[in-house]
Amino acid sequence: MTKDVIALTPRMPDPWAVLAGLLSGGPDKLVDTTGEGAVVQLCDAQGRPLVSVEAPLLVQVEGEAERLLGATPPPVPFWWTEARATTGVPGAERLAGTFAARLASLSGGTAWPPEAARSLAVVASDGVGVAPTPAAAQPAVDVLTGNVAVVIMDRPVVAMTAWLADAFRACAAAERGLQIVTPPGTTLSPAVMSVMPGWPSRWVVQDRQDGYYDGLSGAVLRWQEGMFATVVPADATEDDPRTPVAAAYRRAAETGERQLAVTYRTIHPADDRLVLGGSVETVWRELTGGPPGGWGTAEPANLPWSPGRLTDVAYARAPEPTWFVVVGSPDRPGIATVKVTRTKAGVEEDVTLAFGYGADEEVPLGALQRTAEVLATRHRLQSMLVQLRKARRDLLVPPRFEGPGVPLAFVLGAEEVRAMPDDRARSTPLSQPPVRLGPKARPAYYYPLPGDPSDLSGWADFERLVRHLKGE
């Protein structure tokens, strides 16, 4: 299985420290670069990569190493340098470990995982070779077939790293699926789940009893026709596929932990005065009492919260869409993904946001209506859905059944209300009337829903409301 080894250092690794790390396989190993110079590779005699090293990243956000690695880093700011060993190559993992150990030793930091970076000695690697191109051409991809690219990750959290983001983009361009294979103890960052394409892409979890299963659906999988695919029983029919579900996926324990999930879209006029990220900060302040902790274009989120800098990045990438991740502080778990897109209507922000709460923590349900009103009156809200879920406080996604959320409220923005005929938005088929948000001349509407985590009937009410608003 491929190994990622990460050096966490208080000082930026200087060129001599990087060179000492790259000599971990001896002076006769070749060095190459890829990704426009952002990735350095330690190669075999044929020039194929044994270890790929990402450019050091300055992390200025508290809690990211703890959230993604379970590691104790130096005080922020610190430098995060990843080395990825090529799959199935004897000694490649030790090469990566020695690289990280040397980097940490010379730059005064630590390496993760500790057991992979214990030796500073040169690793004997004579005669070592790796898979031919194109499988080795993309540092994050371990197996490449005509159907999918397979990424094997052995880390506590599968995060939306720069490498994984590159793999998603490469697969989309090649019209392939991306399948991420992990051991059973791994969890998934919500940031990865938010961009995971549909079939044949999937999260594949190794399991002693059932072999492999889908971490999001529990379906038992087998490697067949060049990809991990669902096991089809002999007596399955089109109407009754009888898909077997892994026993490990069904082992869900009741912890009392919950998540408050908010999904919404805003549409802004495209002009030079536009500052993005204001709606995310509004939700954060209304529901937690403070701003987000940080943001980035990949995980770990490495930059302190700044709507201005976020806007600059989106502006520089326009008209191409831009994806961001926003995180909270260690004492209040929160994560959001933001997709900024330039359309004919203006500049759209699609936001998926969640906060985690323990069994003894109060969920701020009383602040939802006020949050919706601020979004509707100040941030050009188009629509919003709020849900409550029985799920982990740390917001990570386990390969276990957690159950769906239940809807607490739906919000329709002022422009959507104005475009709706027959005063339809002012009425509702539900028992509770809608609440007007904003001025009478330009109202938005907040529709309370009888959300109860133990009762899924709220979805039936939500569907009735949506049909009503569509005039069906």
Side-chain angles (χ1 to χ4, degrees), residues 265-289:
R265 172 180 290 182
T266 63
I267 302 179
H268 311 275
D271 61 47
D272 294 338
R273 297 170 297 175
L274 175 61
V275 177
L276 299 168
S279 65
V280 175
E281 181 169 337
T282 290
V283 176
W284 228 283
R285 288 186 180 277
E286 292 290 335
L287 297 181
T288 73

Side-chain angles (χ1 to χ4, degrees), residues 12-320:
M12 180 179 180
D14 60 42
W16 290 110
V18 175
L19 178 60
L22 291 172
L23 290 173
S24 59
D28 57 339
K29 285 292 169 283
L30 303 178
V31 175
D32 197 5
T33 62
T34 186
E36 300 180 352
V39 177
V40 179
Q41 295 178 321
L42 191 64
C43 303
D44 65 5
Q46 286 72 44
R48 296 173 300 196
L50 300 168
V51 176
S52 300
V53 181
E54 187 85 359
L57 178 72
L58 180 62
V59 177
Q60 305 174 64
V61 180
E62 292 276 3
E64 284 298 88
E66 294 89 337
R67 180 174 73 91
L68 300 177
L69 301 177
T72 302
V76 293
F78 64 89
W79 293 87
W80 177 304
T81 308
E82 292 206 19
R84 182 173 174 83
T86 300
T87 300
V89 178
E93 180 184 337
R94 287 187 293 130
L95 281 171
T98 299
F99 170 85
R102 290 183 174 190
L103 211 62
S105 177
L106 292 170
S107 301
T110 59
W112 177 93
E115 64 274 12
R118 288 177 176 169
S119 175
L120 301 177
V122 171
V123 177
S125 55
D126 294 340
V128 168
V130 299
T133 315
Q138 169 58 253
V141 171
D142 297 297
V143 178
L144 193 67
T145 73
N147 297 318
V148 298
V150 179
V151 175
I152 306 172
M153 300 188 74
D154 185 12
R155 46 200 296 177
V157 179
V158 175
M160 183 51 74
T161 62
W163 281 350
L164 191 57
D166 287 342
F168 272 113
R169 284 190 288 268
C171 287
E175 297 184 345
R176 282 187 176 93
L178 181 65
Q179 297 189 337
I180 303 170
V181 182
T182 71
T186 296
T187 56
L188 199 70
S189 166
V192 176
M193 193 170 68
S194 72
V195 299
M196 181 77 77
W199 182 91
S201 298
R202 62 174 79 240
W203 175 23
V204 181
V205 181
Q206 295 177 326
D207 182 62
R208 288 184 179 180
Q209 180 175 339
D210 292 294
Y212 298 93
Y213 69 92
D214 189 302
L216 299 180
S217 71
V220 176
L221 307 173
R222 294 288 183 273
W223 182 261
Q224 45 195 341
E225 298 182 0
M227 63 180 176
F228 285 99
T230 304
V231 171
V232 180
D235 58 349
T237 65
E238 189 170 325
D239 295 331
D240 184 8
R242 304 191 179 208
T243 303
V245 176
Y249 181 80
R250 296 194 294 264
R251 299 189 193 115
E254 177 61 57
T255 65
E257 296 180 344
R258 293 153 296 166
Q259 294 176 9
L260 183 64
V262 183
T263 306
Y264 66 90
R265 172 180 290 182
T266 63
I267 302 179
H268 311 275
D271 61 47
D272 294 338
R273 297 170 297 175
L274 175 61
V275 177
L276 299 168
S279 65
V280 175
E281 181 169 337
T282 290
V283 176
W284 228 283
R285 288 186 180 277
E286 292 290 335
L287 297 181
T288 73
W295 69 284
T297 55
E299 290 181 295
N302 65 311
L303 298 169
W305 177 245
S306 171
R309 292 188 66 183
L310 185 149
T311 302
D312 291 342
V313 171
Y315 182 82
R317 295 184 177 185
E320 294 299 316

Side-chain angles (χ1 to χ4, degrees), residues 344-398:
K344 293 180 179 179
V347 179
E348 298 186 7
E349 287 181 293
D350 287 287
V351 180
T352 300
L353 184 152
F355 298 108
Y357 301 88
D360 58 347
E361 293 178 301
E362 183 179 356
V363 181
L365 302 181
L368 294 178
Q369 184 175 317
R370 166 65 183 171
T371 302
E373 183 160 24
V374 177
L375 289 178
T377 56
R378 301 181 189 174
H379 297 285
R380 297 179 178 271
L381 178 70
Q382 183 185 43
S383 62
M384 180 172 79
L385 177 64
V386 183
Q387 301 177 57
L388 188 64
R389 299 182 60 224
K390 291 182 178 180
R392 291 169 57 136
R393 181 182 186 273
D394 63 11
L395 305 174
L396 298 175
V397 182

Side-chain angles (χ1 to χ4, degrees), residues 394-410:
D394 63 11
L395 305 174
L396 298 175
V397 182
R400 305 284 186 275
F401 178 75
E402 287 191 309
V406 293
L408 299 179
F410 179 70

